[in-house]
Structures are given as C-alpha cells and as structure tokens.
C-alpha cells in the first residue's frame, strides 16, 4: 500500500483547484455551496480525472495510517494491483467474523475493500459496491469475475458494482432491510447531504445489522472557504464533519449510540493548507452504528452480563467492540443495555452469550469519567475506564 505523504505546496495551490473547479463547472474561487450537484461534480472530477493513483493525493487524509489486521493482509495479497493503486481509503472498515453476511460498500471506488470483503464473507455471502464515478467503477468491475472465480475459487462472483448516489440507495436498487453490514472508507465526508446518507443506511440495514466505517472528522465546524475549496474537499478535509454534529446526525437517523472503535489524528504538514485550515484538527475515526431497537442514547443498567466465546476469526483471545470495551474470551462482563443488545442481538450474537433481560431497571449504568483526549469520539455515555469497560 502506498503511504501518500504530503506533497509540496506548489502541488496544492490554485492550478489544481482551478482545474478541479473549472471541470466541475464551478467558479475557480470555490464550489458554490448549497449546490449539491456542484459538490458531487467536483468530487467526481477529482476521483475520475485529477487523481490517477493514490500517489497523486496532495495530503495524507485519504491514506490508511494503521496496518490492517492479518486476515485482511492475507486477503489483500490476492487483490489485483490496479485495484490497489486506486485505493483512497483512510481506515480499515472491515470487521472480522462476517462469513455469510450481505455487505454494502458506500463509495466503493476501485473496489479494494469489496475485494477483501468478498474473501471474508465466503461464497455464501455477497458484496455490493456503490459509487458515482465511472472511472473508478470500471476498474472495480474489470477484475471482479476473474478474482472471485480464480483467486478465490468460487463457482461464481459474489461481488458486484453499481453506479449510484449514496444519498439515494433506493435509486441504485438497494432494498429495505436487505443488508447486514454497511462499510465505507473515506467517503461520507464527501457527501453534500450526510443526513440523507445515514437515513438510507438505516433503511437498507436489516435489524441487527451494522454500519462499520472509517471517515475523516474535525474538532470544529469548518468555515465556508475551507468547505468550498475543491482540493480540500477532494482530499477529504473540506467536507469533514465536526464530530459532535456527526453524533447528532446519527441519532436523528436512528443510530442512538455511535461507538468509536479507533481514532488517529491526520497530520497536515503543508504550510499552504495549514494556513487555510488554521487551528482545525482532523481525525480518521472508525465508527460502529448498530441498527437495533434496544440501543439507547444513555447507558442503562438492567443487570445484564455478556461473555465472548472466542469464536471470531483472528480474535481467539479477546474481542474489541469499541474504544472502551474489550472482552477477554470466556470471562463474564457486566454491561449496559445498549452493549448487551450490540453483542447479543446483532450479527455478533452467535459469538457472545448474554444473560439477563430488561424486566428490571437499576438506573443509569455506572461509568467512569471520560478521558480528556480530543475529540471525544464516542457518542455513548459509557466512557473508557468506567464500570462497563
Ligand atoms: C476517497 S475515495 C474512497 C474510495 C474507496 N472507498 C477506497 O477506499 O478506495 C471516495 C469515493 O467515493 C465516491 N463518492 C463520493 N461521493 C459520493 C456520492 N455522493 N455517491 C456515490 N459515490 C460517491 C467517489 O466517486 C470516490 O470513488
């Protein structure tokens, strides 16, 4: 995988921005905000025309800093080079233990994560990638059949790529409750209507399904001139949501307790970009959003406990649900109602035992104080160091 690094200032300035904006039909000073079509055209142009490979990225925002888990690395070894060269992700949005699941990748690009998911779900599972950029879809589609039948040895491809907008998955033919796992890697920040994306994700997920995804977030609301800048937008910085606004959007869409799994800060070292961005700090965060009726906005105590069975591939000794819950295999843990639902009633349920129900309520679940570290990504009331950890 290429580590993109930071390009010299000259590469980031007006010529590229002007080219991107002009080709998108936007004025060279920036994209007309409020015009969703102009934002999408600018993004499409960036990923279809401006970038040829991940080496052309101007910042390290669309680069994965953390090494993927061993099973993902094994799967990556079989993925065609052309697919890998056009990878622009910022995280590792693939949980383990997903055999047999129906996976949907939002903004699948050249398809890297879909190719890995196709291996992890096995022949009984299926993977659909949705993207709006023809050039990216063409690469993803080109190798799909041969990869599935020859590299993976399946009788037929279990992976397909659909042209569509992630704000309107119905138009792309994705039915209600038809997906077990939605993944996405460095894409939602590019959408001009993030609320619509989350609403659509909630619609297409089956009860007990999950959105597991990596994206770029900011520690504040960004000013217009940053959000309008075509290169900053294309590089996944301009459209980054203030993390607290993201949590509010999740709750409105029906995901009451967003759980952060991992957070890493994105360094912007280029002086020209730094001066545009000011004090703003950016983070790549992997979030987990469960579609479960039993998940609440606060951690409530029903006297429940769970035990991980050690059965998820790659996690024989312990399983990390989020940044404040790691369960050693074979050991019982007291958990709040939302955590009990996440491990007991979701697709993870076959790997956990849960005891207790909600017939008695004992008040708020005891949690310790949140750590001081920015950007306090977890939406839930359960905090690291608390009783549920
Ligand atoms: C940063 S790239 C990431 C691609 C891929 N997930 C990866 O990790 O390589 C963003 C991708 O999202 C797609 N995209 C951005 N906004 C979109 C939208 N509103 N609807 C559909 N696709 C979108 C772009 O076409 C591009 O391929």
């Amino acid at each position: 995988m290429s580590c993109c690094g930071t390009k010299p200032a000259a590469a980031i300035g007006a010529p590229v921005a002007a080219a991107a904006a002009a080709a998108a039909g936007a004025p060279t000073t920036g994209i007309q905000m409020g015009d969703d079509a102009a934002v999408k055209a600018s993004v499409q142009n960036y990923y279809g025309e401006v970038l040829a490979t991940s080496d052309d990225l101007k910042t390290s925002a669309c680069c994965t800093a953390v090494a993927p888990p061993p099973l993902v690395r094994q799967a990556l070894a079989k993925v065609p080079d052309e697919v890998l060269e056009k990878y622009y992700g910022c995280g590792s949005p693939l949980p383990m233990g997903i055999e047999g699941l129906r996976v949907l990748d939002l903004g699948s690009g050249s398809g890297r994560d879909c190719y890995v998911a196709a291996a992890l779900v096995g022949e009984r599972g299926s993977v659909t990638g949705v993207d709006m950029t023809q050039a990216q879809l063409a690469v993803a589609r080109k190798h799909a059949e041969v990869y599935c039948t020859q590299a993976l040895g399946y009788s037929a491809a279990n992976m397909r790529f659909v042209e569509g907008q992630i704000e309107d998955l119905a138009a792309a033919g994705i039915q209600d409750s038809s997906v077990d796992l939605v993944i996405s890697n460095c894409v939602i920040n590019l959408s001009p209507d993030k609320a619509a994306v989350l609403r659509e994700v909630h619609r297409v997920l089956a009860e007990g399904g999950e959105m597991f995804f990596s994206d770029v977030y900011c520690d504040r609301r960004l000013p217009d001139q940053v959000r309008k800048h075509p290169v900053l937008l294309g590089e996944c910085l301009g459209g980054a949501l203030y993390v607290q606004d993201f949590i509010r959007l999740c709750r409105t869409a029906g995901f009451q307790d967003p759980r952060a799994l991992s957070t890493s800060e994105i360094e912007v070292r280029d002086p020209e970009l730094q001066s545009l961005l000011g004090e703003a700090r950016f983070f790549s965060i992997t979030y987990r959003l469960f579609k479960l009726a039993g998940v609440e906005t606060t951690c409530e105590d029903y006297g429940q406990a769970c035990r991980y069975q050690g059965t998820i591939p790659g996690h024989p000794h312990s399983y990390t649900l989020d940044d404040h819950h790691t369960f050693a295999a074979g050991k019982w843990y007291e958990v709040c109602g939302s955590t009990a639902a996440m491990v007991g009633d979701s697709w993870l349920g076959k790997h956990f035992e849960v005891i207790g129900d909600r017939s008695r309520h004992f008040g708020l679940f005891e949690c310790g104080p949140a750590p001081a570290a920015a950007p306090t990504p977890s939406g839930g009331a359960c905090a690291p160091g608390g009783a549920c950890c």
Side-chain angles (χ1 to χ4, degrees), residues 47 87-89 107 109 131-133 164-167 185-187 190:
Y47 287 97
Y87 167 65
Y88 305 123
D131 204 286
M132 66 178 182
T133 304
Q165 313 282 330
I166 58 174
E167 298 82 0
N185 201 344
C186 218
V187 175
L190 298 167

Side-chain angles (χ1 to χ4, degrees), residues 33-356:
M33 294 314 279
D35 183 348
D36 289 6
V39 171
K40 286 185 184 176
S42 178
V43 169
Q44 225 164 2
N45 179 64
Y46 204 71
Y47 287 97
E49 307 295 331
V50 176
L51 302 180
T53 73
S54 48
D55 289 337
D56 298 327
L57 287 163
K58 312 290 180 282
T59 74
S60 58
C62 298
C63 301
T64 304
V66 180
L71 289 176
V72 170
R73 288 207 296 276
Q74 266 173 37
L76 279 170
K78 296 183 178 172
V79 177
D81 286 346
E82 193 182 4
V83 168
L84 298 177
E85 280 160 15
K86 287 179 178 285
Y87 167 65
Y88 305 123
C90 59
S92 189
L94 278 163
M96 298 297 108
I98 60 174
E99 204 190 337
L101 298 193
R102 298 162 295 176
V103 176
L104 174 68
D105 184 2
L106 302 187
S108 44
S110 64
R112 188 194 87 143
D113 292 329
C114 290
Y115 278 67
V116 173
L120 297 178
V121 297
E123 208 162 355
R124 288 187 311 112
S126 65
V127 180
T128 302
V130 174
D131 204 286
M132 66 178 182
T133 304
Q134 272 296 339
Q136 289 282 79
L137 282 165
V139 174
R141 286 172 174 154
K142 186 170 155 189
H143 305 278
E145 185 78 28
V146 169
Y147 169 79
C148 290
T149 54
Q150 293 182 17
L152 300 182
Y154 297 165
S155 56
N158 66 344
M159 169 171 71
R160 68 190 179 116
F161 294 94
V162 179
E163 184 176 358
Q165 313 282 330
I166 58 174
E167 298 82 0
D168 187 2
L169 295 170
I174 314 294
Q175 309 287 316
D176 294 2
S177 308
S178 63
V179 175
D180 303 306
L181 178 69
V182 173
I183 60 171
S184 187
N185 201 344
C186 218
V187 175
I188 316 297
N189 70 83
L190 298 167
S191 170
D193 190 353
K194 295 161 175 74
V197 176
L198 290 170
R199 266 198 313 275
E200 277 293 80
V201 169
H202 199 267
R203 179 185 68 77
V204 303
L205 276 176
E207 178 72 8
E210 179 189 359
M211 182 176 192
F212 186 113
F213 69 113
S214 304
D215 208 350
V216 178
Y217 299 88
C218 192
D219 69 346
R220 65 199 65 200
R221 296 178 183 136
L222 291 165
D224 246 21
Q225 75 270 19
V226 171
R227 296 191 298 121
K228 279 180 186 175
H229 195 286
V231 174
L232 285 176
L233 177 70
E235 295 276 327
C236 299
L237 296 172
L241 264 185
Y242 171 42
V243 73
Q244 300 302 333
D245 284 342
F246 165 73
I247 288 165
R248 275 185 276 275
L249 279 186
C250 288
R251 293 195 168 133
T252 304
F255 299 108
Q256 301 304 341
D257 188 0
R259 297 282 177 98
L261 176 63
S262 59
T263 302
S264 54
E265 185 156 3
I266 293 165
E267 250 193 280
V268 180
R269 286 190 293 266
D270 179 85
E272 190 181 341
L273 282 188
Q274 272 175 356
S275 73
L276 276 168
L277 296 171
E279 296 295 304
R281 293 170 66 194
F282 293 86
F283 300 86
S284 168
I285 306 180
T286 298
Y287 268 105
R288 308 187 73 162
L289 311 178
F290 288 90
K291 180 176 175 179
L292 283 163
V295 171
E296 304 174 88
T297 51
T298 48
C299 292
E300 301 296 333
D301 186 355
Y302 299 97
Q304 292 172 291
C306 74
R307 180 162 70 175
Y308 171 50
Q309 295 173 355
T311 46
I312 296 180
H315 302 288
H317 306 300
S318 65
Y319 184 73
T320 298
L321 175 71
D322 56 36
D323 61 9
H324 53 291
H325 291 92
T326 292
F327 301 110
K331 182 174 171 179
W332 285 100
Y333 292 84
E334 286 181 31
V335 287
C336 70
S338 294
T339 299
M342 288 175 195
V343 299
D345 301 336
S346 74
W347 65 273
L348 287 167
K350 63 183 177 198
H351 302 289
F352 282 85
E353 293 165 76
V354 174
I355 49 170

